[in-house]
Amino acid sequence: MSSLSTQEIQDRISSKSTELGFSHFGWSQLTRPLSFEFYNSWLQDGFHGEMSYLAEHAPVKENAQLKWPRAESALVFAIPYFPHPAPTDSNFPLKAARTSLYAQGMDYHFWFKERMQQLCTELNQIFPDQEFIPFTDSSPILERDLARRAGLGWAGKNTCLIHPKKGSLFFIGEIYTSLKVETHFEPLPDFCGTCRKCIDICPTQAIIEPRKLDARKCISYLTIESRTTPPEELRSAIGDWFFGCDLCQTVCPWNQKIFKGHLSIEPQLELSTEPLLNLSTESRTDLIADLQYILTASGKKLGKDFLGTPMARAGSFGLKRNALIVAGNQKLKELQREVQNLLAHEKLGELASWTLTQFEK
């Protein structure tokens, strides 16, 4: 066993974290999550929608040792995604389709985990008899609860973790370890106060009360996780969001303060055909090209073109569904032929018909 003190371990991790691009970190003992009762109630209310795995994984989220018997503590790391640390290259097929900030780069499940694995390798050299396992949110972990216990931020009214000096535009990752690490991190106080900007700006009113999100109404869920077409009453509210949504984060005063006005808080971006508005005209042209490509490309081509990016998660059906919704909401009549070609599609036909109806409104 290494003779390093807790402070020496912390200093080594801190140095390596900076080298790997992590913005802040902490650790916590792997005890029962503070918010587990709230999480269980959320599941019982059905707010998780089609994400049945969230309920299936609940026992492991409550007791990590059911899956990882040696796990005693968790090192928790944050890495900013604005600007994105792993941007896509010039061959990325989309130019103007409005996407969430986290998705404007390569899939963090791969590169973030690789960076944490580097740290695990170094820690294994110090503690060869101990276990270190890196995770991103694809594993059954209540990571925001864990990050809060590790002092990485407080749970905002938009359900995201917020840090007063880092904002909320960061990924969270964990390293489970058999080390019994004494924690020195106190959970941060709640600094949301009386602010409710995140609640008020949501186009679909998905935040039904502070810190309680109905995923079935969330634009990010509807355009990424869902495997069906959204209810008709929600389609118009999705606006021009092709993949994900950032509004409840970009409107947050803490993010506005940190990023000094560089974050868009427009629920729907305007696209004009007026020749004097060159930027808007160019954006409209680029958006039409993006959606035309999505609507006509084969599933195989879409899978190849988006390999290694977050958009691969939506699959061919999800990407075409999203393209139809944006095309309808933005009245992109130039895509009428491409939309008509999907009228006979088994799963997208009804949505294609709705899109054509929007063109005429």
Side-chain angles (χ1 to χ4, degrees), residues 222-224 226-227 242 314-323 348:
L222 293 171
T223 58
I224 302 174
S226 177
R227 297 297 177 257
F242 173 73
S316 174
F317 164 77
L319 295 173
K320 291 179 185 292
R321 171 200 60 201
N322 300 348
L348 291 169

Side-chain angles (χ1 to χ4, degrees), residues 243-281:
F243 190 89
C245 175
D246 293 312
L247 291 174
C248 68
Q249 293 197 82
T250 55
V251 77
C252 176
W254 292 100
N255 281 325
Q256 286 291 325
K257 176 182 178 182
I258 291 165
F259 297 104
K260 303 186 186 305
H262 292 292
L263 302 174
S264 170
I265 56 173
E266 297 300 323
Q268 182 162 310
L269 301 177
E270 295 296 328
L271 293 177
S272 174
T273 57
E274 293 296 325
L276 293 178
L277 301 177
N278 294 324
L279 180 60
S280 293
T281 304

Side-chain angles (χ1 to χ4, degrees), residues 35 39 42 76 141-150 152-155 158-161 172 174 213:
S35 62
Y39 178 70
W42 182 79
V76 191
I141 299 171
L142 280 181
E143 61 176 10
R144 277 173 292 185
D145 183 288
L146 196 56
R148 185 163 70 93
R149 285 185 279 159
L152 269 64
W154 76 90
N158 59 5
T159 76
C160 297
L161 202 73
I172 302 170
E174 305 81 26
L213 176 77

